[in-house]
Structures are given as structure tokens and as C-alpha cells.
């Protein structure tokens, strides 16, 4: 059986976080009773005139610059015609031959090191309404339409067919999401549909130059379904070819419940969108000064920030990548390091205990009750030997639930580490007297017995004894 | 040259049902229109800028401000069929 290579290109739709829709002043607020966030423009009533929301163009440029795209000098909107009731006009306003941006790229980390993935284009368009089916899609005789989302601004970002595995596709989306979140133009919530993804996928015998016949998979609304559906489709295509079959160019949908991709055979397959320039919207000449202003207002992006963390803080690349994955986590880290300049210790606590507690309680870093300055003071207490590392974990959990600062918790609960030699000696003597067996073992050369004795002393001190001193004093006594 | 098959295809995309007579008529009319453009193609346009819009306008924007919505009853007033608060359409797919 020949080796096959997978070729994937992704189309990502991202909802922009503007207040009003792209061509009218209806709200973009999520939810809302059906058909209440609408006006004559987004309902496509006769005689209305759409006007472009300037913020949408600004956000599109902002995202495009963060993705290393070239911004067009001249751009326009076109009508994409199709007969489907998710749009009341029977066309969607999108961009065809003169998109706002082209020729970008982003970098992903693969097994074989970092790789640049090309971005073909980025364009603006309006979102569609939602179709609601009563009962199951096959039994209901009609569909219900809610136009609240119709006209919400989107950018569509089309990649080159540069991705070579489902895992690389996942990496690409995660990186894209991280970058866009940094720019602040979208909240990129896959589960709420503000980041959606379609995939073009084909396989070809290893070494072949051209591309195999591709299929398009729609309806990918989580990282998990992206990975699973692409893996399924790779296998399906290879199996089909191995059995002497051929791949049909078609759109397939991911069935999450069955774990398979299914063909969407319908007349809609006859893609013939008959794009034409929208005569209601006038062209845009993008002012270079405007583009420069937007470029200057971009924050430090994940890749640069990651590099800086390795150089400036001496962190391992792994830590740096995780900390800089979201702007909020990186900001938290930096405030903390400012107050307690021990980057690796701060990184360990953030990536370890803090992340664990955030995940288990389903919280975001922005809602975290532990202020970064408070985490810094906890670390200072550990470093000064005021509390033991073990006690610190309990204090940390208390801080996480109550939001109180470390010092007051330590004081109130009497958790100060015992570093007074005479106090520790008293406990050590008691433990030695109670455990003649392990004492003899240790004297007979069994090092492990010491660990047991240390544990007993720590237990007797309720975890408050300074472990280093316990170790030292035990050795001296023995 | 536009054929009857092309007209059938465009009619399908627009969800139009055409009689044979109508198809004949549209095929003829669309070919007339194409013929007119073939006439225009004879003009020398080497020194003319391509145009994306017929009006000499550009960069017409609005600010990102939420305005008035129409009421749901107004929104649904002209639709042929509704179910509760939704537009109701024949099942698609
Ligand atoms: Zn509207």
C-alpha cells in the first residue's frame, strides 16, 4: 500500500465584536427573542440602503495585519447569490475579487519544528440567519427562520492547502484563535459560533505534485470535531482509493453522534453564486495612514511575546508558549513577576495549581479571585520560609475560593512554618522514641527509613515544620 | 452563445419554472443582450480605468452605533407564513 499524504486547507469564519451589524444599526447582541434584533436593512426589505460599519473595516484590517496580510488599496463588496432562506435577500453580501486583505501567514509548531502556513485571503461578509427545525430535519415539513444573526459582521480567512495532518489543522486554528483574541476583534468562542471552520481535504500518494480530489467538510464547531472529522475523512478517502474507487468532489457534513462525515447531495451542490458588485455599496480606498495607525495600535502578539519570555525571563519555550497563549494569562504572569521577580517559580504556580483550579472550577483567568500581586506575596512567604511549600498549596486554595490575601490566611489559621530549632528538636525526639524499628533500619543503612521519619515529624507538626531543618536535625540525632 | 440549457440552469438557480415558450423567449433575449455587449467590446478601452461602481463615490461609512429596531410584529407583518415568532418557510435540504 502506497504512503499517502494529507492536504488540508481551512476556511475560518470569525464574528467581529462590533456593537452594530455590518450594514445597518441593528444590535449584534447574542441571544434575544427571535426576530427582534432586526430592521428593514437586515430583513432585506425593498428600497433600503446598506451602509458599511467603519468599525468592521477597522477590525478586519486589524486582524489581517496580525496575520501578516497585505491590506488592499482598493476593495469592494459583492453579492453572492444563492437560494436559501437563511438570508432574506437571496444573496449574501461578501467580497469576491477584491478582498480587504491577501497573502498572509501564521506559524505553527510541528513535530519537525516551526512551519509557516500561508493565508490566501481575508474578506468581510455578513452572517446569515438561523434555521430552526421542529422535530427532526427529515420529518418536519417546514423550517423556521430567525434573522437576529443576519448581518452580524464576519471575517472569513482562507488558508493555502499547506496543512499536512488533522493535528496541524488543529494547531492552525488554535494559533489563529490566540492571535485574533490578542487583537481583541472577536471573542472566538467556538461553542457560541463566533469562530467556525470549514475544511477542504484531500489525500495524494506521497511524492505526487498535484492535488487529489478534495471534499469540503462543514459544520465543525469544536476543536474535537475538527480533529475527529478530519481523521475520519483521511481514512475514508484512503480506503476509497485503495479499493479502486475515486473521490467525488462534494460537500460533506460531520455527524458528531455517529462519528462520520456524510455526503450532502442536493441541488445546492451546483455552486454557481453569480457574484456581482453590490451597487448599493460604494468601493473603499483604504487610506495608508489609517492602516499605519491600526498597525501601531496592535499589542505584542503571541509569537513575539513567547520569544521575549524565553529571552527576558529565561523560561523554557514550553512554559513561554503556554503563558502567552492568551493575552490575559500573559498579563497576569507579568504583573506577578513584577511583584516577585522569580519567573520560573511564578510560571510553575500559574501552569500548575492555578491552571488546575481554574479548569476544575470552569473559570477564566480574568475572573480569578487571586490578584497576581497576592500570588507574588504567597511566593515571597514560601521563599522567606514563613510557610512550607505544602502549607502554601492549602493557603493557595483558600485564596482561590475566598480571594483573601496570603498573609491574613496564614496568620488567622496559625500556619506559620516552624523554623525554631528547639521546637523541631522536641518533635524529632518524640518521633524517634515512638519509632525504634525505623531508627534501627536507618542505622543498618536503609536510607529509605529516613523518609518515613521525616514524614512522621511533618505529620506531628501538622505540616508546619521546616522540612530542610527536619532533615538536618534527624540526621544529626541519628 | 446562450443555449436553452443555459437558460434552464439559470432558471433552476433562481427557482423559476419556465414553459418551453418562455425558455425560447429568454434564450433569444439573453442572446440579444450578449450581442449588445459584443458591440461594446469593439470599443478601445485600453486607456480607461476599470470601474467597480457607476457613481464617483468611495468610502461611505457609518459609525458603529446601535439604532432603533422594528418590532417583531412589524418584522413579521409581510411574511406569507409564520409560526409563533419565526418566519415559516418550506423545508429546505
Ligand atoms: Zn438591521
Amino acid at each position: 500500500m502506497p504512503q499517502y499524504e494529507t492536504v488540508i486547507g481551512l476556511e475560518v469564519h470569525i464574528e467581529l465584536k462590533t456593537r452594530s451589524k455590518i450594514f445597518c444599526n441593528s444590535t449584534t447582541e447574542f441571544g434575544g427573542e427571535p426576530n427582534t434584533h432586526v430592521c428593514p436593512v437586515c430583513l432585506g426589505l425593498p428600497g433600503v440602503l446598506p451602509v458599511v460599519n467603519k468599525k468592521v473595516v477597522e477590525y478586519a484590517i486589524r486582524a489581517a495585519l496580525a496575520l501578516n496580510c497585505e491590506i488592499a488599496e482598493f476593495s469592494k463588496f459583492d453579492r453572492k447569490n444563492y437560494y436559501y432562506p437563511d438570508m432574506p435577500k437571496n444573496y449574501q453580501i461578501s467580497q469576491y475579487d477584491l478582498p480587504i486583505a491577501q497573502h498572509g501567514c501564521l506559524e505553527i509548531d510541528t513535530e519537525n519544528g516551526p512551519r509557516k502556513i500561508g493565508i490566501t485571503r481575508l474578506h468581510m461578509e455578513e452572517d446569515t440567519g438561523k434555521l430552526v427545525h421542529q422535530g427532526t430535519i427529515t420529518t418536519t415539513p417546514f423550517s423556521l427562520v430567525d434573522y437576529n444573526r443576519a448581518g452580524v459582521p464576519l471575517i472569513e480567512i482562507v488558508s493555502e492547502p499547506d496543512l499536512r495532518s488533522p493535528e496541524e489543522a488543529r494547531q492552525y486554528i488554535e494559533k489563529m484563535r490566540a492571535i485574533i483574541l490578542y487583537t481583541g476583534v472577536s471573542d472566538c468562542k467556538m461553542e457560541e459560533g463566533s469562530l467556525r471552520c470549514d475544511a477542504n481535504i484531500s489525500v495524494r500518494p506521497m511524492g505526487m505534485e498535484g492535488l487529489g480530489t478534495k471534499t469540503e467538510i462543514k459544520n465543525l464547531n469544536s476543536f474535537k470535531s475538527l480533529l475527529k472529522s478530519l481523521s475520519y475523512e483521511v481514512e475514508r478517502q484512503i480506503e476509497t482509493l485503495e479499493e479502486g474507487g475515486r473521490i467525488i468532489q462534494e460537500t460533506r457534513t460531520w455527524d458528531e453522534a455517529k462519528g462520520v462525515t456524510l455526503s450532502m447531495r442536493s441541488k445546492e451542490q451546483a455552486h454557481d453564486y453569480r457574484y456581482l458588485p453590490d451597487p448599493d455599496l460604494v468601493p473603499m480606498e483604504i487610506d495608508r495612514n489609517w492602516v499605519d495607525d491600526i498597525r501601531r495600535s496592535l499589542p505584542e502578539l503571541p509569537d513575539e511575546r513567547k520569544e521575549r519570555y524565553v529571552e527576558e525571563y529565561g523560561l523554557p519555550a514550553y512554559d513561554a508558549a503556554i503563558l502567552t497563549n492568551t493575552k490575559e494569562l500573559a498579563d497576569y504572569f507579568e504583573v506577578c513577576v513584577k511583584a516577585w521577580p522569580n519567573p520560573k517559580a511564578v510560571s510553575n504556580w500559574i501552569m500548575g495549581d492555578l491552571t488546575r483550579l481554574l479548569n476544575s472550577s470552569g473559570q477564566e483567568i480574568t475572573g480569578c479571585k487571586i490578584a497576581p500581586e497576592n500570588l507574588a506575596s504567597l511566593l515571597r512567604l514560601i521563599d522567606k520560609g514563613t510557610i512550607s511549600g505544602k502549607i502554601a498549596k492549602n493557603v493557595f486554595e483558600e485564596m482561590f475560593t475566598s480571594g483573601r490575601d496570603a498573609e491574613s490566611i496564614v496568620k488567622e489559621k496559625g500556619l506559620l512554618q516552624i523554623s525554631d530549632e528547639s521546637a523541631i528538636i522536641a518533635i524529632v525526639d518524640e518521633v524517634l522514641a515512638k519509632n525504634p524499628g525505623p531508627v534501627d533500619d536507618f542505622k543498618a543503612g536503609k536510607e529509605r527509613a529516613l523518609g518515613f521519619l521525616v514524614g512522621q515529624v511533618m505529620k506531628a507538626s501538622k505540616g508546619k515544620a521546616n522540612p530542610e531543618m527536619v532533615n538536618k536535625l534527624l540526621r544529626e540525632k541519628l | 452563445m446562450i443555449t436553452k440549457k443555459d437558460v434552464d440552469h439559470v432558471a433552476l438557480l433562481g427557482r423559476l419554472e419556465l414553459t418551453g415558450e418562455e425558455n425560447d423567449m429568454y434564450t433569444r433575449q439573453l442572446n440579444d443582450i450578449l450581442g449588445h455587449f459584443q458591440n461594446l467590446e469593439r470599443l478601445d478601452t485600453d486607456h480607461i480605468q476599470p470601474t467597480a461602481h457607476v457613481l464617483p463615490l468611495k468610502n461611505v461609512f457609518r459609525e458603529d452605533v446601535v439604532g432603533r429596531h422594528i418590532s417583531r410584529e412589524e418584522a413579521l407583518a409581510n411574511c406569507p407564513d409564520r409560526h409563533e415568532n419565526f418566519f415559516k418557510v418550506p423545508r429546505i435540504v
Side-chain angles (χ1 to χ4, degrees), chain A residues 186-225:
Chain A
S186 173
D187 52 20
C188 293
K189 288 187 180 150
M190 268 184 128
E191 63 283 5
E192 279 181 19
S194 58
L195 189 158
R196 306 190 287 262
C197 182
D198 300 336
N200 287 303
I201 177 165
S202 62
V203 297
R204 61 182 173 195
M206 205 59 110
M208 187 177 113
E209 277 287 316
L211 295 171
T213 306
K214 69 180 179 186
T215 57
E216 185 181 10
I217 310 178
K218 295 221 178 236
N219 193 21
L220 303 175
N221 49 18
S222 71
F223 289 116
K224 232 165 89 194
S225 59

Tab-separated table of all heavy atoms in Angstrom, chain A residues 186-225:
chain	number	residue	atom	x	y	z
A	186	SER	N	-12.543	39.840	18.260
A	186	SER	CA	-13.566	38.799	18.405
A	186	SER	C	-13.322	38.033	19.689
A	186	SER	O	-12.189	38.000	20.180
A	186	SER	CB	-13.501	37.821	17.228
A	186	SER	OG	-14.371	36.723	17.444
A	187	ASP	N	-14.374	37.406	20.230
A	187	ASP	CA	-14.121	36.568	21.403
A	187	ASP	C	-13.891	35.113	21.008
A	187	ASP	O	-13.618	34.276	21.855
A	187	ASP	CB	-15.204	36.724	22.476
A	187	ASP	CG	-16.594	36.539	21.912
A	187	ASP	OD1	-16.703	35.932	20.826
A	187	ASP	OD2	-17.560	37.007	22.534
A	188	CYS	N	-14.019	34.804	19.709
A	188	CYS	CA	-13.617	33.489	19.174
A	188	CYS	C	-14.153	32.310	19.980
A	188	CYS	O	-13.413	31.392	20.298
A	188	CYS	CB	-12.101	33.374	19.117
A	188	CYS	SG	-11.323	34.475	17.943
A	189	LYS	N	-15.443	32.336	20.314
A	189	LYS	CA	-15.996	31.211	21.066
A	189	LYS	C	-16.575	30.197	20.100
A	189	LYS	O	-17.625	30.430	19.511
A	189	LYS	CB	-17.074	31.699	22.033
A	189	LYS	CG	-16.501	32.457	23.209
A	189	LYS	CD	-17.577	32.773	24.230
A	189	LYS	CE	-16.976	33.525	25.400
A	189	LYS	NZ	-17.940	34.447	26.020
A	190	MET	N	-15.892	29.070	19.957
A	190	MET	CA	-16.364	28.056	19.018
A	190	MET	C	-17.749	27.554	19.403
A	190	MET	O	-18.590	27.328	18.546
A	190	MET	CB	-15.382	26.892	18.969
A	190	MET	CG	-14.340	27.057	17.879
A	190	MET	SD	-13.281	25.619	17.766
A	190	MET	CE	-13.399	25.236	16.019
A	191	GLU	N	-17.970	27.380	20.718
A	191	GLU	CA	-19.245	26.801	21.157
A	191	GLU	C	-20.411	27.754	20.911
A	191	GLU	O	-21.545	27.328	20.740
A	191	GLU	CB	-19.169	26.339	22.617
A	191	GLU	CG	-18.923	27.421	23.659
A	191	GLU	CD	-17.468	27.901	23.735
A	191	GLU	OE1	-16.627	27.471	22.916
A	191	GLU	OE2	-17.180	28.730	24.594
A	192	GLU	N	-20.152	29.054	20.871
A	192	GLU	CA	-21.226	30.012	20.577
A	192	GLU	C	-21.244	30.386	19.096
A	192	GLU	O	-22.021	31.227	18.670
A	192	GLU	CB	-21.053	31.281	21.427
A	192	GLU	CG	-21.578	31.120	22.835
A	192	GLU	CD	-21.426	32.388	23.663
A	192	GLU	OE1	-21.255	33.482	23.079
A	192	GLU	OE2	-21.463	32.279	24.889
A	193	GLY	N	-20.337	29.796	18.341
A	193	GLY	CA	-20.344	30.025	16.902
A	193	GLY	C	-19.636	31.289	16.457
A	193	GLY	O	-19.742	31.679	15.305
A	194	SER	N	-18.882	31.954	17.349
A	194	SER	CA	-18.180	33.152	16.888
A	194	SER	C	-16.848	32.784	16.228
A	194	SER	O	-16.150	33.646	15.722
A	194	SER	CB	-17.995	34.178	17.997
A	194	SER	OG	-17.291	33.659	19.081
A	195	LEU	N	-16.488	31.504	16.257
A	195	LEU	CA	-15.395	31.009	15.405
A	195	LEU	C	-15.883	29.699	14.805
A	195	LEU	O	-16.243	28.773	15.533
A	195	LEU	CB	-14.124	30.783	16.227
A	195	LEU	CG	-12.841	30.468	15.462
A	195	LEU	CD1	-11.627	30.807	16.302
A	195	LEU	CD2	-12.737	29.035	15.001
A	196	ARG	N	-15.954	29.640	13.474
A	196	ARG	CA	-16.449	28.431	12.808
A	196	ARG	C	-15.460	28.030	11.724
A	196	ARG	O	-14.710	28.861	11.242
A	196	ARG	CB	-17.804	28.689	12.163
A	196	ARG	CG	-18.832	29.240	13.127
A	196	ARG	CD	-20.206	29.251	12.501
A	196	ARG	NE	-20.371	30.288	11.493
A	196	ARG	CZ	-20.952	31.464	11.733
A	196	ARG	NH1	-21.379	31.761	12.939
A	196	ARG	NH2	-21.090	32.350	10.781
A	197	CYS	N	-15.518	26.782	11.369
A	197	CYS	CA	-14.479	26.300	10.469
A	197	CYS	C	-15.027	25.314	9.450
A	197	CYS	O	-15.798	24.425	9.790
A	197	CYS	CB	-13.424	25.637	11.341
A	197	CYS	SG	-12.065	25.034	10.417
A	198	ASP	N	-14.657	25.504	8.175
A	198	ASP	CA	-14.899	24.516	7.127
A	198	ASP	C	-13.533	24.039	6.655
A	198	ASP	O	-12.585	24.816	6.644
A	198	ASP	CB	-15.627	25.138	5.926
A	198	ASP	CG	-16.986	25.722	6.314
A	198	ASP	OD1	-17.549	25.264	7.323
A	198	ASP	OD2	-17.448	26.642	5.616
A	199	ALA	N	-13.464	22.779	6.272
A	199	ALA	CA	-12.161	22.240	5.865
A	199	ALA	C	-12.232	21.658	4.466
A	199	ALA	O	-13.201	20.991	4.111
A	199	ALA	CB	-11.717	21.164	6.845
A	200	ASN	N	-11.209	21.932	3.648
A	200	ASN	CA	-11.037	21.264	2.365
A	200	ASN	C	-9.944	20.231	2.554
A	200	ASN	O	-8.860	20.554	3.031
A	200	ASN	CB	-10.614	22.256	1.285
A	200	ASN	CG	-11.770	23.147	0.883
A	200	ASN	OD1	-12.822	22.661	0.474
A	200	ASN	ND2	-11.588	24.443	1.036
A	201	ILE	N	-10.249	18.996	2.166
A	201	ILE	CA	-9.284	17.949	2.475
A	201	ILE	C	-9.162	16.968	1.319
A	201	ILE	O	-10.140	16.611	0.677
A	201	ILE	CB	-9.692	17.229	3.792
A	201	ILE	CG1	-8.737	16.096	4.101
A	201	ILE	CG2	-11.117	16.739	3.755
A	201	ILE	CD1	-8.869	15.599	5.523
A	202	SER	N	-7.927	16.571	1.037
A	202	SER	CA	-7.672	15.552	0.019
A	202	SER	C	-6.459	14.750	0.434
A	202	SER	O	-5.717	15.148	1.322
A	202	SER	CB	-7.434	16.210	-1.342
A	202	SER	OG	-6.279	17.033	-1.288
A	203	VAL	N	-6.279	13.607	-0.213
A	203	VAL	CA	-5.065	12.828	0.018
A	203	VAL	C	-4.406	12.592	-1.338
A	203	VAL	O	-5.061	12.672	-2.389
A	203	VAL	CB	-5.346	11.466	0.701
A	203	VAL	CG1	-5.944	11.671	2.079
A	203	VAL	CG2	-6.252	10.594	-0.153
A	204	ARG	N	-3.091	12.337	-1.327
A	204	ARG	CA	-2.383	12.019	-2.573
A	204	ARG	C	-1.235	11.087	-2.225
A	204	ARG	O	-0.689	11.149	-1.114
A	204	ARG	CB	-1.853	13.291	-3.235
A	204	ARG	CG	-0.855	14.043	-2.367
A	204	ARG	CD	-0.393	15.329	-3.031
A	204	ARG	NE	0.433	16.120	-2.136
A	204	ARG	CZ	0.744	17.403	-2.342
A	204	ARG	NH1	0.294	18.039	-3.403
A	204	ARG	NH2	1.519	18.049	-1.488
A	205	PRO	N	-0.852	10.230	-3.201
A	205	PRO	CA	0.292	9.359	-2.931
A	205	PRO	C	1.502	10.227	-2.624
A	205	PRO	O	1.696	11.263	-3.259
A	205	PRO	CB	0.478	8.603	-4.245
A	205	PRO	CG	-0.831	8.708	-4.951
A	205	PRO	CD	-1.430	10.010	-4.530
A	206	MET	N	2.286	9.817	-1.637
A	206	MET	CA	3.467	10.561	-1.227
A	206	MET	C	4.328	10.868	-2.451
A	206	MET	O	4.552	10.009	-3.296
A	206	MET	CB	4.251	9.688	-0.241
A	206	MET	CG	5.118	10.448	0.712
A	206	MET	SD	4.183	11.608	1.702
A	206	MET	CE	4.258	10.836	3.300
A	207	GLY	N	4.753	12.101	-2.556
A	207	GLY	CA	5.652	12.471	-3.652
A	207	GLY	C	4.926	13.021	-4.865
A	207	GLY	O	5.541	13.584	-5.763
A	208	MET	N	3.589	12.857	-4.918
A	208	MET	CA	2.850	13.379	-6.063
A	208	MET	C	2.823	14.908	-6.001
A	208	MET	O	2.734	15.485	-4.929
A	208	MET	CB	1.416	12.845	-6.035
A	208	MET	CG	0.596	13.181	-7.265
A	208	MET	SD	-1.051	12.426	-7.136
A	208	MET	CE	-2.090	13.872	-6.987
A	209	GLU	N	2.927	15.535	-7.174
A	209	GLU	CA	2.987	17.004	-7.211
A	209	GLU	C	1.613	17.657	-7.065
A	209	GLU	O	1.415	18.492	-6.208
A	209	GLU	CB	3.633	17.456	-8.532
A	209	GLU	CG	5.158	17.444	-8.497
A	209	GLU	CD	5.722	18.582	-7.643
A	209	GLU	OE1	5.217	19.719	-7.785
A	209	GLU	OE2	6.636	18.332	-6.843
A	210	GLY	N	0.698	17.274	-7.932
A	210	GLY	CA	-0.625	17.917	-7.944
A	210	GLY	C	-1.453	17.529	-6.723
A	210	GLY	O	-0.982	16.829	-5.831
A	211	LEU	N	-2.688	18.011	-6.682
A	211	LEU	CA	-3.560	17.717	-5.553
A	211	LEU	C	-4.581	16.647	-5.929
A	211	LEU	O	-5.023	16.576	-7.074
A	211	LEU	CB	-4.305	18.988	-5.122
A	211	LEU	CG	-3.434	20.117	-4.558
A	211	LEU	CD1	-4.257	21.385	-4.378
A	211	LEU	CD2	-2.796	19.701	-3.242
A	212	GLY	N	-4.935	15.815	-4.961
A	212	GLY	CA	-6.005	14.857	-5.171
A	212	GLY	C	-7.342	15.577	-5.172
A	212	GLY	O	-7.417	16.767	-4.869
A	213	THR	N	-8.425	14.864	-5.509
A	213	THR	CA	-9.753	15.473	-5.465
A	213	THR	C	-10.129	15.728	-4.010
A	213	THR	O	-9.945	14.872	-3.162
A	213	THR	CB	-10.785	14.531	-6.097
A	213	THR	OG1	-10.338	14.187	-7.408
A	213	THR	CG2	-12.149	15.195	-6.184
A	214	LYS	N	-10.655	16.937	-3.764
A	214	LYS	CA	-10.925	17.286	-2.370
A	214	LYS	C	-12.405	17.180	-2.038
A	214	LYS	O	-13.261	17.245	-2.913
A	214	LYS	CB	-10.444	18.712	-2.101
A	214	LYS	CG	-11.281	19.751	-2.832
A	214	LYS	CD	-10.813	21.171	-2.564
A	214	LYS	CE	-11.684	22.142	-3.351
A	214	LYS	NZ	-11.222	23.524	-3.279
A	215	THR	N	-12.678	17.029	-0.758
A	215	THR	CA	-14.037	17.180	-0.267
A	215	THR	C	-14.017	18.340	0.721
A	215	THR	O	-12.980	18.701	1.252
A	215	THR	CB	-14.543	15.910	0.455
A	215	THR	OG1	-13.648	15.603	1.521
A	215	THR	CG2	-14.620	14.735	-0.492
A	216	GLU	N	-15.195	18.922	0.925
A	216	GLU	CA	-15.297	20.014	1.875
A	216	GLU	C	-16.149	19.544	3.053
A	216	GLU	O	-17.229	18.997	2.850
A	216	GLU	CB	-15.940	21.237	1.212
A	216	GLU	CG	-15.953	22.444	2.126
A	216	GLU	CD	-16.620	23.677	1.511
A	216	GLU	OE1	-17.245	23.544	0.441
A	216	GLU	OE2	-16.520	24.755	2.121
A	217	ILE	N	-15.632	19.736	4.255
A	217	ILE	CA	-16.404	19.344	5.435
A	217	ILE	C	-16.911	20.589	6.141
A	217	ILE	O	-16.149	21.497	6.452
A	217	ILE	CB	-15.573	18.510	6.421
A	217	ILE	CG1	-14.871	17.379	5.676
A	217	ILE	CG2	-16.466	17.928	7.506
A	217	ILE	CD1	-13.999	16.552	6.573
A	218	LYS	N	-18.221	20.594	6.350
A	218	LYS	CA	-18.829	21.753	7.008
A	218	LYS	C	-19.236	21.378	8.419
A	218	LYS	O	-19.213	20.216	8.797
A	218	LYS	CB	-20.083	22.180	6.222
A	218	LYS	CG	-19.729	22.668	4.836
A	218	LYS	CD	-20.557	23.890	4.484
A	218	LYS	CE	-20.188	24.421	3.130
A	218	LYS	NZ	-19.795	25.818	3.161
A	219	ASN	N	-19.624	22.408	9.184
A	219	ASN	CA	-20.236	22.137	10.478
A	219	ASN	C	-19.242	21.681	11.534
A	219	ASN	O	-19.524	20.799	12.321
A	219	ASN	CB	-21.347	21.084	10.295
A	219	ASN	CG	-22.237	20.966	11.503
A	219	ASN	OD1	-22.308	21.883	12.314
A	219	ASN	ND2	-22.906	19.843	11.633
A	220	LEU	N	-18.041	22.287	11.536
A	220	LEU	CA	-17.061	21.932	12.552
A	220	LEU	C	-17.084	23.013	13.626
A	220	LEU	O	-16.637	24.118	13.404
A	220	LEU	CB	-15.669	21.836	11.910
A	220	LEU	CG	-15.624	20.829	10.766
A	220	LEU	CD1	-14.279	20.859	10.083
A	220	LEU	CD2	-15.930	19.442	11.295
A	221	ASN	N	-17.658	22.661	14.785
A	221	ASN	CA	-17.831	23.712	15.781
A	221	ASN	C	-17.076	23.474	17.083
A	221	ASN	O	-17.381	24.061	18.092
A	221	ASN	CB	-19.317	23.950	16.051
A	221	ASN	CG	-20.029	22.654	16.316
A	221	ASN	OD1	-19.373	21.656	16.628
A	221	ASN	ND2	-21.342	22.646	16.208
A	222	SER	N	-16.077	22.591	17.043
A	222	SER	CA	-15.198	22.452	18.206
A	222	SER	C	-13.866	21.887	17.723
A	222	SER	O	-13.780	21.314	16.639
A	222	SER	CB	-15.816	21.523	19.248
A	222	SER	OG	-15.799	20.196	18.786
A	223	PHE	N	-12.829	22.094	18.552
A	223	PHE	CA	-11.513	21.546	18.200
A	223	PHE	C	-11.597	20.035	18.066
A	223	PHE	O	-10.973	19.438	17.212
A	223	PHE	CB	-10.484	21.910	19.272
A	223	PHE	CG	-10.128	23.361	19.280
A	223	PHE	CD1	-10.424	24.159	20.365
A	223	PHE	CD2	-9.487	23.931	18.184
A	223	PHE	CE1	-10.100	25.506	20.368
A	223	PHE	CE2	-9.159	25.269	18.180
A	223	PHE	CZ	-9.463	26.061	19.271
A	224	LYS	N	-12.446	19.438	18.936
A	224	LYS	CA	-12.563	17.994	18.935
A	224	LYS	C	-13.204	17.506	17.642
A	224	LYS	O	-12.725	16.562	17.024
A	224	LYS	CB	-13.406	17.550	20.144
A	224	LYS	CG	-12.712	16.487	20.966
A	224	LYS	CD	-13.328	16.296	22.326
A	224	LYS	CE	-14.438	15.280	22.380
A	224	LYS	NZ	-15.194	15.396	23.646
A	225	SER	N	-14.287	18.153	17.214
A	225	SER	CA	-14.947	17.684	15.995
A	225	SER	C	-14.069	17.945	14.778
A	225	SER	O	-14.094	17.188	13.811
A	225	SER	CB	-16.331	18.325	15.831
A	225	SER	OG	-16.262	19.720	15.766
